[in-house]
């Protein structure tokens, strides 16, 4: 139900009907109202009912309402910027400051008016603005990966350490520090993120599923081989942690098996303390300790090469962890990267010989091309491109044969990261993006030998 009074109330404050706004004195007799002050009855073109919406009429001016006009003295006066009258040479000299938004308002207006009249200055102004945009390119939020190295190098240049870390131990020191920085902010979800360890065994790609914490436990177990060789405590102690075989895989399986629960973030502290102890011990022992043998079960490496091997595996597994948590991870510093690639290239002749003994290499090459020790034999040129790369001649017929450029039968070119992923067992030899030229069987043997360097 509605009455005349309700209709009046319904129209009060409505500002969209024929200029009606808040009720003012004299509105009852104002223009556009029906008898008795009620709104006029809508006609066919007014938009009432189902017709089209009504178009509001223009609002009445404040002078027609009888209200007092605002005090002109209280209205703020906006200053008018008057352009300066300047010579062409002066305006041209202001273009640099104008591009940097460093001109005064009057100068800015004068320059912009001049740019509409002078084509030469307009072209110069456009080029300056583009240059300013290049200078103000946004910087990434991530820190420069070389920042730590540069800061440490600057500190060491000013005050050399009393007990320096041997050069062959520096890659291990740097890679464990980088991995520890990656782990620093991990929560429980990241520590339990699934990781798949991959390697080659008998020319077949093998994998093992674990977690981020399980990978750190694996590094702790295998780094223990170096720790034991240096006379430090073995992380595998107690009857329940006795490995079936003193190999990297056997030690890892023993550690995992002895854990009542899957490894958690608690494994980070013993791993990091062990890496610190290893670096500290080799620093006190000096560079002469690099020849100390480190047994890996079925083979052994001198300490200087074992430290490079551990740095390489730390970087590879840090990449596995970063991939599991969807985080970018860069290769090592170039000089450290070169040392890791050099170690893998020097291990290829022994890997080729081991594959021949196992019947995995081409038998025709074994019988027809064996050469005496110390004699030049067939060689393959391995070219590693990119940061840390170089060239190596790989003897194909015997580990004791001399590599010879005169007896080069094949040439393989690989990117540094691609070669390391191949040596880590992450890339099948058939899928390695290698530039190849020469003896196809020799190339295949070397690529498979590189993949056979991998292990868990």
């Amino acid at each position: 139900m509605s009455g005349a009074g309700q209709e009046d109330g319904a129209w009060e404050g409505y500002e969209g009907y024929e200029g009606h706004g808040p009720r003012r004195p004299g509105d009852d007799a104002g223009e556009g109202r029906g008898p008795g002050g009620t709104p006029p009855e809508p006609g066919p073109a007014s938009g009432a009912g189902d017709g089209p919406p009504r178009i509001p009429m223009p609002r009445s001016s404040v002078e027609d309402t009888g209200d007092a006009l605002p005090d002109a003295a209280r209205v703020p006066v906006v200053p008018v910027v008057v352009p300066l009258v300047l010579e062409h040479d002066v305006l041209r000299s202001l273009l640099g400051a104008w591009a940097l938004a460093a001109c005064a308002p009057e100068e800015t207006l004068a320059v912009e008016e001049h740019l509409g009249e002078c084509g030469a200055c307009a072209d110069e102004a456009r080029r300056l603005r583009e240059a300013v945009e290049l200078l103000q390119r946004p910087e990434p939020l991530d820190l420069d990966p070389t920042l730590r190295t540069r800061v440490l190098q600057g500190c060491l240049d000013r005050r050399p350490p009393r007990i320096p870390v041997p050069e062959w131990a520096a890659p291990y020191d740097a890679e464990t520090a980088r991995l520890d920085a990656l782990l620093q902010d991990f929560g429980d979800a990241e520590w339990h993120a699934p990781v798949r360890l991959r390697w080659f065994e008998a020319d077949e790609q093998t994998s093992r599923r674990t977690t981020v914490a399980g990978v750190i436990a694996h590094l702790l177990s295998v780094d223990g081989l170096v720790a034991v060789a240096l006379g430090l405590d073995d992380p595998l102690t107690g009857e329940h942690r006795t490995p079936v075989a003193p190999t990297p895989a056997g030690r890892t399986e023993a550690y995992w098996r002895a854990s009542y629960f899957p490894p958690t973030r608690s494994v980070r502290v013993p791993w990091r303390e062990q890496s610190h102890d290893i670096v500290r011990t080799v620093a006190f022992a000096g560079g002469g300790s690099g020849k100390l043998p480190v047994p890996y079960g079925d083979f052994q490496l001198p300490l200087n090469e074992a430290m490079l091997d551990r740095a390489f595996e730390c970087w590879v597994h840090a990449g596995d962890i970063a991939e599991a948590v969807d985080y970018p991870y860069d290769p090592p510093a170039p000089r450290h990267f070169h040392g890791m690639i050099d170690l893998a290239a020097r291990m290829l002749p022994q890997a080729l010989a081991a594959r021949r003994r196992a019947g995995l290499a081409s038998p025709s090459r074994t019988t027809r091309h064996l050469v005496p020790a110390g004699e030049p034999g067939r060689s393959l040129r391995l070219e590693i491109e990119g940061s840390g790369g170089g060239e190596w001649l790989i003897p194909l017929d015997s580990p004791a044969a001399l590599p010879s450029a005169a007896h080069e039968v094949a040439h393989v070119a690989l990117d540094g990261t691609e070669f390391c992923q191949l040596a880590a067992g992450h890339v099948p030899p058939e899928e390695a993006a290698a530039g190849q030229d020469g003896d196809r069987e020799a190339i295949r043997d070397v690529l498979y030998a590189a993949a056979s360097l991998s292990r868990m």
Side-chain angles (χ1 to χ4, degrees):
M1 294 178 62
S2 62
Q6 290 173 328
E7 290 180 3
D8 282 345
W11 294 104
E12 277 192 31
Y14 183 74
E15 300 183 7
Y17 185 85
E18 293 194 13
H20 287 279
R23 293 175 63 84
R24 300 184 179 93
D27 277 355
D28 287 341
E31 194 174 57
R33 302 190 60 91
T38 60
E41 292 293 330
S46 66
D50 297 330
R54 184 180 181 85
I55 301 176
M57 297 296 291
R59 297 191 179 207
S60 57
S61 174
V62 67
E63 289 89 346
D64 300 334
T65 62
D67 291 346
L69 295 176
D71 188 0
R74 297 184 180 181
V75 177
V77 178
V78 179
V80 178
V81 179
V82 179
L84 300 175
V85 179
L86 302 173
E87 297 293 333
H88 177 272
D89 292 341
V90 177
L91 291 168
R92 186 177 181 84
S93 68
L94 290 173
L95 292 179
W98 173 83
L100 294 169
C103 287
E106 299 84 1
E107 295 173 337
T108 300
L109 190 57
V111 170
E112 290 176 351
E113 285 191 356
H114 177 67
L115 295 180
E117 302 171 355
C118 179
C121 288
D123 291 340
E124 180 69 16
R126 177 180 54 80
R127 288 193 293 269
L128 289 172
R129 272 286 168 90
E130 291 174 355
V132 169
E133 291 177 0
L134 293 176
L135 293 174
Q136 296 176 346
R137 182 176 299 172
E139 294 292 334
L141 296 179
D142 291 337
L143 293 177
D144 184 354
T146 64
L147 178 61
R148 178 181 183 272
T149 302
R150 289 190 284 109
V151 170
L152 291 177
Q153 188 61 45
C155 296
L156 294 175
D157 289 343
R158 296 191 63 180
R159 180 177 294 179
R162 293 181 180 178
I163 305 175
V165 175
E167 186 176 351
W168 43 264
Y172 176 80
D173 186 24
E175 292 309 309
T176 52
R178 284 212 304 155
L179 176 53
D180 187 56
L182 174 65
L183 301 173
Q184 185 173 0
D185 296 326
F186 276 17
D188 291 338
E190 286 84 3
W191 279 101
H192 294 288
V195 180
R196 187 166 292 278
L197 302 179
R198 294 166 289 170
W199 69 97
F200 260 73
E201 192 171 316
D203 286 356
E204 296 290 336
Q205 193 167 31
T206 309
S207 64
R208 177 69 184 272
R209 190 176 183 274
T210 183
T211 63
V212 170
V215 174
I216 301 303
H218 165 59
L219 292 175
L220 171 68
S221 304
V222 185
D223 286 356
L225 292 169
V226 178
V228 172
L230 291 171
L232 302 174
D233 293 336
D234 189 349
L236 272 68
T237 56
E239 58 180 354
H240 299 297
R241 285 187 177 176
T242 303
V244 176
T247 61
R251 289 174 61 87
T252 301
E253 295 287 356
Y255 192 96
W256 287 346
R257 188 171 54 250
S259 302
Y260 293 104
F261 301 99
T264 61
R265 66 167 67 234
S266 61
V267 76
R268 178 192 171 198
V269 173
W271 166 74
R272 194 64 179 118
E273 288 180 350
Q274 177 178 259
S275 66
H276 283 154
D277 290 341
I278 289 174
V279 174
R280 187 181 303 112
T281 302
V282 298
F284 276 103
S289 62
K291 301 301 180 182
L292 183 70
V294 178
Y296 277 71
D298 49 356
F299 68 96
Q300 69 178 23
L301 292 173
L303 179 61
N304 57 353
E305 294 186 355
M307 294 291 286
L308 273 175
D309 171 76
R310 301 314 307 142
F312 174 79
E313 186 165 357
C314 182
W315 166 61
V316 168
H317 289 320
D320 294 335
I321 292 172
E323 182 180 355
V325 299
D326 195 21
Y327 194 85
Y329 204 77
D330 294 324
R335 72 175 185 277
H336 298 167
F337 204 22
H338 178 81
M340 298 176 193
I341 294 172
D342 177 68
L343 175 62
R346 289 187 286 108
M347 294 175 70
L348 284 176
Q350 293 290 346
L352 277 168
R355 285 178 53 78
R356 289 196 183 99
R357 290 193 296 268
L360 298 175
S362 306
S364 60
R365 301 305 181 198
T366 307
T367 56
R368 292 189 301 175
H369 294 283
L370 286 179
V371 296
E375 295 292 330
R378 295 182 318 126
S379 303
L380 177 142
R381 182 177 300 276
L382 176 64
E383 180 182 354
I384 305 300
E385 302 171 342
S387 173
E391 287 191 0
W392 290 262
L393 281 173
I394 310 300
L396 298 173
D397 300 325
S398 169
L402 292 179
S404 170
H407 294 77
E408 181 181 324
V409 297
H411 182 193
V412 174
L414 278 164
D415 176 73
T417 303
E418 184 85 4
F419 174 72
C420 288
Q421 292 298 318
L422 175 64
H426 286 198
V427 177
E430 301 87 352
E431 299 178 10
Q436 306 176 7
D437 182 39
D439 191 330
R440 296 297 174 184
E441 285 191 19
I443 293 171
R444 180 185 180 279
D445 286 346
V446 169
L447 293 180
Y448 270 87
S452 70
L453 296 175
S454 62
R455 59 179 182 273
M456 185 175 75

